[in-house]
Amino acid sequence: MKTCIRLEEIMQLELRERAHFINSVGGFKSIGLIGTSDRQGQTNLAIFSSIVHIGANPPLISFIMRPDSVERHTLSNILSTGYYTINHVNESIFQKAHQTSARYPQEVSEFEVTGLTREYKNDFFAPFVQESAVQLGVQFKERIDLTINQTIMIIGQIEQVHFPKDCLHPDGYLDIEKAGTISCSGLDSYHKTQRIDRLPYAKL
Amino acid sequence: MKTCIRLEEIMQLELRERAHFINSVGGFKSIGLIGTSDRQGQTNLAIFSSIVHIGANPPLISFIMRPDSVERHTLSNILSTGYYTINHVNESIFQKAHQTSARYPQEVSEFEVTGLTREYKNDFFAPFVQESAVQLGVQFKERIDLTINQTIMIIGQIEQVHFPKDCLHPDGYLDIEKAGTISCSGLDSYHKTQRIDRLPYAKL
């Protein structure tokens, strides 16, 4: 049986309850571990669930962050160095990935406390997560301040993609389910996937 | 075995191949059917895979669209009427949902050609999709033109949420997997989910 909740009631929910609810209603989310480093080599790793493709030509990807949160080290590193990595989360690392959302002080690297492995390669400035099957090296392009609620949208250009060779289809589709990538709903629910079908390009 | 593809090679991919690839690398995506109507009652329905929660206080949700595509009827209806619905996609309607991406002329309603059912309720201006278990009524708040690639970000405030009563947890989490909501990867791959776990709030 369906029920309905309206804005007035949503706004009366307790803060954490409202966060759980509103984070759930948008559907399943992309999650990724964003790896950064400051100029002195102090690394940072944080999980984000608002990663969105915004175009393929050039290849651009965005995510949303709150300035007042644990995410601020990620932001300052991106703005000062211009580079970051986005690393897919899989079933074997999702607990460690989730733990990066705790409020560690700046001098603590989430790589060290979670045991996830820093991987530097291809002369890319920012650290990848070795345990991640699909890894993106991204160059910062634009910051958009969303004045409506003081969040920040970060747009970057994909400079390199590391992925398991056998997951790439001839038509360009990358089988991220085969790569073990998982999804998230709400603030804390992690889900693996099972393909229903791929459909042909929709025609009239 | 992992391989790496760099920006120069990505840009040399054939257009459709690049679209498949770049749409895949961001992870699993939220999909939703966006329902709109013009002032004369001509309805429109289109699938979007870039729906992102951007804040809970107030409850805001966004999506990205390209102005030059089939999505333009959705855009003009949202801008002229101020209201739209976002309807979750499930396994029983994903083929019809996918079909809404075909380039129908404006006088054709995707509700009619796909057989999805218009549902008007709660005095909300825009039509919901009856077959959808989770339905959001959204008020348009802001349009942000992303000059970097001429896409458009639409931000709206969630005015009402319709959902199956037994999917709501006491802590506010809405179990969208139980509601049958599915996810998407790339341009055309649809996936159901299987919960691995919910994790407690991460502490130091």
Side-chain angles (χ1 to χ4, degrees):
Chain A
M1 209 187 68
K2 262 190 197 172
T3 186
C4 174
I5 178 169
R6 287 171 184 268
L7 180 61
E8 307 77 57
E9 300 159 84
I10 294 173
M11 292 307 290
Q12 282 163 16
L13 293 175
E14 181 269 322
L15 201 71
R16 190 82 190 154
E17 203 178 335
R18 181 167 64 232
H20 274 297
F21 184 70
I22 296 300
N23 269 277
S24 308
V25 300
F28 288 100
K29 303 189 281 187
S30 295
I31 40 172
L33 282 162
I34 296 193
T36 57
S37 170
D38 68 14
R39 290 171 175 279
Q40 286 72 46
Q42 171 70 35
T43 57
N44 188 269
L45 190 66
I47 190 167
F48 285 86
S49 66
S50 55
I51 296 162
V52 176
H53 156 88
I54 63 165
N57 188 21
L60 297 173
I61 196 158
S62 74
F63 67 97
I64 307 281
M65 52 162 60
R66 291 164 301 151
D68 59 340
S69 71
V70 294
E71 301 159 7
R72 67 190 183 281
H73 305 143
T74 298
L75 179 62
S76 59
N77 286 345
I78 290 174
L79 295 178
S80 68
T81 71
Y83 290 96
Y84 53 105
T85 65
I86 300 179
N87 306 271
H88 284 210
V89 176
N90 56 57
E91 194 172 354
S92 67
I93 62 169
F94 81 100
Q95 287 148 316
K96 291 174 178 176
H98 185 76
Q99 183 60 31
T100 64
S101 61
R103 294 184 169 268
Y104 294 107
Q106 212 219 314
E107 66 273 17
V108 172
S109 170
E110 291 81 3
F111 279 103
E112 275 153 32
V113 290
T114 61
L116 290 165
T117 312
R118 263 182 289 255
E119 184 181 25
Y120 287 102
K121 59 185 172 186
N122 260 27
D123 298 322
F124 199 74
F125 177 81
F128 294 97
V129 176
Q130 192 174 69
E131 293 82 356
S132 179
V134 181
Q135 306 160 314
L136 281 59
V138 185
Q139 185 183 11
F140 169 70
K141 283 292 172 183
E142 192 174 352
R143 166 190 177 155
I144 297 176
D145 290 288
L146 304 177
T147 52
I148 195 167
N149 71 344
Q150 289 78 53
T151 53
I152 298 165
M153 183 183 193
I154 298 291
I155 300 177
Q157 179 169 281
I158 298 171
E159 296 286 319
Q160 50 183 262
V161 184
H162 302 266
F163 57 93
K165 216 168 179 172
D166 61 354
C167 291
L168 185 64
H169 287 216
D171 66 357
Y173 173 70
L174 185 68
D175 189 342
I176 59 174
E177 178 171 290
K178 186 173 178 184
T181 299
I182 63 171
S183 178
C184 166
S185 73
L187 291 167
D188 55 24
S189 185
Y190 295 87
H191 307 254
K192 51 189 174 183
T193 65
Q194 191 187 338
R195 178 170 293 104
I196 305 167
D197 206 357
R198 282 191 71 188
L199 297 180
Y201 188 82
K203 291 181 179 152
L204 294 189
Chain B
M1 208 186 69
K2 262 190 197 172
T3 187
C4 174
I5 178 168
R6 288 172 182 267
L7 180 61
E8 305 78 56
E9 299 160 83
I10 294 173
M11 293 306 291
Q12 282 163 15
L13 294 175
E14 181 268 321
L15 201 70
R16 191 82 190 154
E17 202 178 334
R18 182 166 63 230
H20 274 295
F21 184 70
I22 296 300
N23 270 278
S24 307
V25 300
F28 288 99
K29 303 189 281 186
S30 295
I31 40 172
L33 283 162
I34 296 193
T36 56
S37 170
D38 68 15
R39 290 170 176 281
Q40 287 72 45
Q42 170 70 36
T43 57
N44 187 271
L45 190 65
I47 190 167
F48 285 86
S49 66
S50 54
I51 296 162
V52 176
H53 155 87
I54 63 165
N57 189 21
L60 297 173
I61 195 159
S62 74
F63 67 97
I64 307 280
M65 52 163 56
R66 290 165 301 151
D68 58 341
S69 71
V70 293
E71 302 159 6
R72 68 190 183 281
H73 304 144
T74 299
L75 179 62
S76 58
N77 286 345
I78 291 175
L79 295 178
S80 68
T81 70
Y83 292 95
Y84 54 105
T85 66
I86 300 179
N87 306 271
H88 285 209
V89 176
N90 56 57
E91 195 172 353
S92 67
I93 62 169
F94 80 99
Q95 286 147 319
K96 292 173 178 176
H98 184 76
Q99 185 59 30
T100 64
S101 61
R103 294 182 170 269
Y104 293 106
Q106 212 219 317
E107 66 274 17
V108 172
S109 170
E110 291 82 3
F111 279 102
E112 277 155 31
V113 290
T114 61
L116 290 166
T117 312
R118 265 181 288 256
E119 184 181 24
Y120 287 100
K121 59 185 173 187
N122 261 26
D123 300 322
F124 198 76
F125 177 81
F128 295 97
V129 176
Q130 193 175 69
E131 292 83 355
S132 178
V134 181
Q135 305 160 314
L136 280 59
V138 185
Q139 184 183 11
F140 168 69
K141 283 291 172 185
E142 192 174 351
R143 165 189 176 155
I144 297 176
D145 290 290
L146 304 177
T147 51
I148 196 167
N149 71 344
Q150 287 79 53
T151 53
I152 298 165
M153 183 184 193
I154 298 290
I155 299 177
Q157 180 170 282
I158 299 170
E159 296 286 319
Q160 50 184 261
V161 184
H162 302 266
F163 58 94
K165 217 169 178 171
D166 62 353
C167 291
L168 185 64
H169 288 217
D171 66 357
Y173 173 69
L174 186 68
D175 190 341
I176 59 173
E177 178 170 291
K178 188 175 178 183
T181 300
I182 63 171
S183 178
C184 166
S185 72
L187 291 167
D188 55 24
S189 185
Y190 295 87
H191 307 254
K192 50 188 175 183
T193 65
Q194 189 187 338
R195 177 170 294 104
I196 306 167
D197 206 357
R198 281 192 71 189
L199 297 179
Y201 187 83
K203 291 181 178 149
L204 295 189

